[in-house]
Amino acid sequence: MVQMTKKKKVLTFLSISITLIILIVVTLYVNLKIFTVKKVLMSNEQEVYIMGTFHTGHFERYANYSIEEMLNAINNIDPDVVFIEARENSFIEYGVVDGPIDMCVAYSYCSENNIPVEMIDYWEITNDFKTNTTTDERDDQIHRNIMEKLDAYENKKVLVICGFGHLNAQTERLIDDGGQKQHVSHIGNLFKEGNKNFVYPNMICDVWEERTLFYAHTVPQLVQADESLNEETKSNWMEDKNYEFYNWQMEYCKLFQENALYMPTK
């Protein structure tokens, strides 16, 4: 009888624990977006918001963070200038926004709403390069790019948009450079908008196609011509002669043209 009572207590404890864990996970999932925006007040009183985004994840329902909500946040933060995760040299030399898809959408939105855009990403293809990753070296250079551009926007409210993986790294570096972390009130409201029907920026398909062609042809051609790169590295950057990559990427343009938020389930 005593043994049965102990067993019942253990089962009750486990049941309560599992229920609490499920409630915590569900709460975190529902409120995930509130963890994606930070604010730092620099020593010269300059306001810097940092927003971590999910790249292609915004186009999947499970992420619970749509591209519409990302644009709502830009609108509600109301920055004087936006810094995005794309490389400035690619834009200057080739006229392309070479960052992830959410950066292309942000660039298009800002351009059509007269919000200046600066590009602060850094990476280069080497024999040790790995796609879709970050390193301390990369985050250090992104931070240097941010600090350099902040000087050009004194007394302006700045919004830095970067992948979620850079969010804490860039926030900590700004604090290390004299900034103070600030509380963002009613953060969930940043992602809300009125009852307007969502539409993508008019220029997004053109911006996205330019980016697609850049990675389909220009980058592979540059890699193949680079004598410092070994054959293994070059084999990872072959030109898209059969249009497989191009057709895959242009699926997003169908989404843009239909003003749909999510990729269809396959």
Side-chain angles (χ1 to χ4, degrees), residues 68-69 71-76 109 188-198:
E68 178 182 17
E69 290 170 312
L71 295 181
N72 289 344
I74 297 174
N75 183 58
N76 290 323
Y109 175 84
N189 291 337
L190 291 177
F191 304 95
K192 297 177 181 178
E193 188 51 271
N195 296 320
K196 294 188 300 184
N197 291 328
F198 172 74

Side-chain angles (χ1 to χ4, degrees), residues 27-91:
T27 301
L28 287 173
Y29 173 73
V30 170
N31 296 285
L32 181 64
K33 293 183 286 293
I34 70 172
F35 300 105
T36 65
V37 177
K38 310 285 185 183
K39 180 183 177 183
V40 176
L41 186 68
M42 302 306 291
S43 57
N44 62 357
E45 302 299 311
Q46 187 175 33
E47 290 181 287
V48 181
Y49 287 80
I50 310 103
M51 182 163 69
T53 60
F54 294 173
H55 301 334
T56 56
H58 289 291
F59 299 92
E60 303 294 342
R61 290 184 184 276
Y62 66 78
N64 194 33
Y65 184 0
S66 71
I67 206 73
E68 178 182 17
E69 290 170 312
M70 184 195 79
L71 295 181
N72 289 344
I74 297 174
N75 183 58
N76 290 323
I77 291 171
D78 191 23
D80 296 304
V81 60
V82 170
F83 297 176
I84 64 171
E85 184 187 327
R87 296 182 300 170
E88 188 173 58
N89 62 316
S90 294
F91 190 76

Side-chain angles (χ1 to χ4, degrees), residues 86-99 104 107 119 203 206-214 218:
R87 296 182 300 170
E88 188 173 58
N89 62 316
S90 294
F91 190 76
I92 292 171
E93 293 180 38
Y94 303 101
V96 64
V97 180
D98 71 354
C104 292
Y107 170 81
M119 301 182 186
M203 64 191 293
D206 291 336
V207 170
W208 185 244
E209 184 173 28
E210 288 169 359
R211 190 256 192 199
T212 299
L213 291 170
F214 179 70
T218 306

Side-chain angles (χ1 to χ4, degrees), residues 148-159:
E148 179 182 324
K149 291 183 180 299
L150 285 180
D151 287 341
Y153 291 94
E154 191 175 355
N155 299 320
K156 301 293 185 182
K157 186 194 295 185
V158 177
L159 170 60

